[in-house]
Amino acid sequence: SDTTLVIRDAMVAKKLSIFLIFVLLSFTISKAYNIVSERLSVWKTNLRRNSYSGVYQTRKDALTMRAWTCHGRTQREMVDKLQQAGIIKSQSIRDCMASVDRANYVVKPPSGPYNDSPQGIGYGATISAPHMHAHALEEIVTYLQASAKKSELSVLDVGCGSGYLTACLGRLLNGGDCESNRQQQTLRGKVYGIEYMKELVDFSIENTKIADIDLLSQGVVTYQVGDGWKGLPEKAPFTAIHVGAAADSFPQELMMQLDVGGVMVIPVGPDGGVQNLYKVERLRNGDQFQKEDFTFDNLLGVRYVPLVHLNQNT
Ligand code: SAH
């Protein structure tokens, strides 16, 4: 009977260890399942983040879109291609970009001014690629239209560099050569371009004088030396603020110069590192900066020159 007992004990031990192995195995499987599904959801979120307002729908699309640069031989051809690619969506952006000749805003004599790529303009700055200007304008225009009832809109372009985007915003706000704006007579206002490099302020002015001098003489567009981190408090609040250089953190002082219902389009991220273009909207007023008063929308991955800190207090 001793032998029976030993055999029975052995069988119990065997059953117990099988049970333990089973428990361990199911635990491991459920853990692995959790990890995989978590990774999957992160991947899905990133995919959504990379998607750009319906332009980049899927990863495959995103790759095709990025590879598809909208080079043109003329301003019109460049704008046509941006429209075909779905980057320019609205007639008003089409018109305002078509009416500002990019050849006047690059280094002279112009070389490949209608290529869909950034170009050096000296002082460590670049005129952004046309598709980035189109993206920014498309984001901004809906907010301008929503606030169009205001007698005069104010827009701030931080790091105006070449002046190209500032002039486009000027056309968007004042009409001028901008066909659809002239017809609708909706958007009116002023654009303030600020730049910390005096030489680039002069470059912007010279460029705008070539064919868009009416914007300057009518006071629709003004350029001045200024620090983007500090903005332009005397002209605030702004319905839209465009920042043309990558901030290493969200600039609170600048965000506080947004009007309620206003929008900021800004690249954020370290110099040379992972940067994202954000759309920041101000939801409500407040004397003190509070993150909760804003919404943050990550639009797409980008590469910009840094928004320079001019002194240690900024
Ligand atoms: N939208 C411009 C972009 C120029 S590149 C264009 O397409 O032409 C970015 C610009 O930001 C540079 O001209 C740079 O001199 C400027 N910049 C960088 N740091 C700045 C700061 N703290 N204040 C104002 N401008 C700044």
Side-chain angles (χ1 to χ4, degrees):
S1 78
D2 264 6
T3 344
T4 339
L5 219 72
V6 169
I7 291 172
R8 205 187 297 151
D9 275 358
M11 274 169 70
V12 167
K14 201 173 160 192
K15 274 185 186 160
L16 209 72
S17 60
I18 287 174
F19 176 72
L20 274 176
I21 287 170
F22 178 77
V23 167
L24 217 75
L25 215 70
S26 52
F27 179 75
T28 317
I29 288 173
S30 88
K31 195 93 181 160
Y33 173 80
N34 280 346
I35 290 172
V36 168
S37 64
E38 200 178 304
R39 284 275 154 85
L40 256 167
S41 92
V42 168
W43 180 71
K44 270 195 208 151
T45 322
N46 283 342
L47 207 67
R48 229 178 298 127
R49 279 202 188 136
N50 281 340
S51 75
Y52 185 82
S53 309
V55 180
Y56 304 134
Q57 288 296 358
T58 63
R59 174 154 282 203
K60 182 173 159 285
D61 263 33
L63 293 176
T64 334
M65 292 297 302
R66 287 211 184 112
W68 184 3
T69 44
C70 302
H71 297 324
R73 280 159 300 179
T74 60
Q75 182 76 22
R76 185 143 293 245
E77 192 183 13
M78 180 187 89
V79 170
D80 279 346
K81 286 195 180 173
L82 287 167
Q83 195 168 25
Q84 283 156 21
I87 297 168
I88 290 181
K89 288 177 230 140
S90 55
Q91 189 62 31
S92 52
I93 299 308
R94 198 215 134 78
D95 289 344
C96 86
M97 279 191 79
S99 71
V100 183
D101 191 341
R102 197 166 180 268
N104 297 335
Y105 292 82
V106 296
V107 173
K108 311 319 170 270
S111 135
Y114 310 115
N115 284 346
D116 190 15
S117 44
Q119 266 192 35
I121 52 173
Y123 311 97
T126 56
I127 174 172
S128 300
H131 70 267
M132 284 315 303
H133 285 150
H135 278 317
L137 288 165
E138 283 290 353
E139 285 300 336
I140 286 171
V141 71
T142 44
Y143 288 83
L144 297 181
Q145 281 159 351
S147 300
K149 275 185 245 96
K150 284 191 191 133
S151 56
E152 196 175 82
L153 301 167
S154 285
V155 177
L156 180 66
D157 186 21
V158 170
C160 55
S162 64
Y164 184 76
L165 190 76
T166 328
C168 287
L169 287 164
R171 288 279 169 240
L172 196 59
L173 282 185
N174 123 287
D177 295 339
C178 200
E179 196 56 46
S180 72
N181 205 6
R182 236 199 336 253
Q183 284 162 11
Q184 294 168 16
Q185 291 292 322
T186 47
L187 302 177
R188 294 273 142 195
K190 286 188 165 44
V191 190
Y192 304 91
I194 64 167
E195 177 47 73
Y196 85 115
M197 294 293 305
K198 167 84 171 69
E199 291 84 350
L200 288 174
V201 173
D202 295 340
F203 186 57
S204 286
I205 295 171
E206 288 314 311
N207 295 341
T208 309
K209 272 184 182 167
I210 300 171
D212 302 299
I213 195 163
D214 57 304
L215 292 176
L216 295 174
S217 57
Q218 289 169 23
V220 175
V221 166
T222 50
Y223 298 104
Q224 57 192 289
V225 174
D227 179 2
W229 289 99
K230 303 223 172 296
L232 201 60
E234 62 269 32
K235 301 293 179 191
F238 300 102
T239 303
I241 300 178
H242 171 263
V243 184
D248 54 16
S249 63
F250 285 95
Q252 299 185 1
E253 220 175 313
L254 195 59
M255 284 162 72
M256 291 301 278
Q257 291 174 29
L258 269 181
D259 207 352
V260 173
V263 70
M264 177 186 283
V265 175
I266 179 170
V268 179
D271 185 10
V274 177
Q275 302 170 351
N276 289 295
L277 191 70
Y278 280 88
K279 181 173 86 170
V280 178
E281 192 185 326
R282 186 165 192 177
L283 301 176
R284 57 189 86 85
N285 255 323
D287 295 337
Q288 295 286 316
F289 174 85
Q290 273 185 314
K291 206 167 166 257
E292 295 71 35
D293 293 342
F294 300 86
T295 58
F296 300 82
D297 238 319
N298 186 343
L299 301 177
L300 73 161
V302 289
R303 191 163 276 264
Y304 277 74
V305 301
L307 186 68
V308 174
H309 287 276
L310 296 178
N311 63 51
Q312 255 136 34
N313 299 328
T314 55

